[in-house]
Amino acid sequence: MAGLRLIVGLGNPGAEHARTRHNAGFWFIDALAAAGGARFGLESKLHGETAKLQIAGQNLHLLKPATFMNLSGRSLGAALRYWKIEPEECLVAHDELDLPPGAARIKFDGGHGGQNGLRDIMQVLGHGKFHRLRIGIGHPGHKDRVTPWVLGRPGKDDEASMLRAIDDAIGVLPLAVAGDFNEAMKRLHTPKDS
């Protein structure tokens, strides 16, 4: 399988959303950019902020859509066309209700699981054939509490767990960038001895 050329972090723009669970994709891409010394700049034709980074000898584009979450596909679609990148060369980092804080999982293809950013991307692309980095935010326990949970800020312990999962994901990224997704998944998905 081809490696990665584009990494997208999903989130909502604006300071009021910055540390919410729903912005876990932004947390990831900001941490990745910081680790690589990359700086984001606004790219209006791509409806987002972009940066460049090199990992495992491969040049990568980073993208943070400046649209709201439910319009993420507009930004991603524009970036894929502009940079002539295939969807399967793309990794989309997003928050995941079905995983506990502290868990991060890589997968390829599949449904949107109710995640509005993924739903919009799949509508724009017409399919789900791209890689996802699912960053666990946990579930509040009842569907009626999902919206305030997702749009709320995690407590200190959950935030620390989420940041640890993001670090783990960044640690296996060189494997994914090189196209060795199986090894990246094995390392990321195997529980660490505490």
Side-chain angles (χ1 to χ4, degrees):
M1 189 171 275
L4 297 175
R5 295 176 56 207
L6 171 62
I7 299 178
V8 184
L10 299 188
N12 282 314
E16 69 276 23
H17 299 289
R19 298 312 287 173
T20 62
R21 292 178 181 91
H22 211 21
N23 274 29
F26 276 7
W27 297 21
F28 171 77
I29 205 143
D30 286 339
L32 179 61
R39 296 182 95 104
F40 282 98
L42 195 59
E43 190 72 67
S44 58
K45 65 180 168 286
L46 302 183
H47 314 283
E49 293 179 55
T50 65
K52 274 191 171 156
L53 192 61
Q54 199 173 57
I55 296 179
Q58 171 76 26
N59 290 324
L60 283 172
H61 293 283
L62 306 183
L63 174 67
K64 284 170 67 173
T67 57
F68 277 90
M69 178 73 82
N70 59 353
L71 296 174
S72 299
R74 178 190 296 174
S75 179
L76 176 56
L80 292 174
R81 285 189 302 275
Y82 182 71
W83 288 318
K84 297 177 175 53
I85 293 173
E86 294 300 320
E88 56 270 20
E89 297 174 308
C90 172
L91 176 75
V92 177
H94 64 88
D95 58 306
E96 177 60 68
L97 278 164
D98 294 334
L99 291 173
R105 298 285 181 267
I106 295 172
K107 74 178 263 192
F108 180 74
D109 206 354
H112 54 68
Q115 213 283 356
N116 288 330
L118 291 182
R119 178 183 283 135
D120 191 61
I121 288 168
M122 290 168 70
Q123 208 166 357
V124 167
L125 296 180
H127 61 76
K129 296 189 184 320
F130 52 90
H131 297 275
R132 301 97 189 276
L133 173 65
R134 303 160 63 218
I135 300 163
I137 61 169
H139 197 287
H142 193 278
K143 63 177 175 26
D144 293 347
R145 294 204 291 269
V146 164
T147 300
W149 175 264
V150 165
L151 297 177
R153 292 166 185 250
K156 272 203 175 86
D157 290 349
D158 280 2
E159 181 169 347
S161 296
M162 287 170 68
L163 291 171
R164 208 166 39 247
I166 285 168
D167 283 346
D168 291 345
I170 290 172
V172 303
L173 206 52
L175 290 163
V177 168
D180 193 350
F181 291 98
N182 287 341
E183 186 60 25
M185 286 191 255
K186 194 169 92 185
R187 293 192 194 179
L188 186 61
H189 302 183
T190 303
K192 314 257 178 303
D193 297 327
S194 32

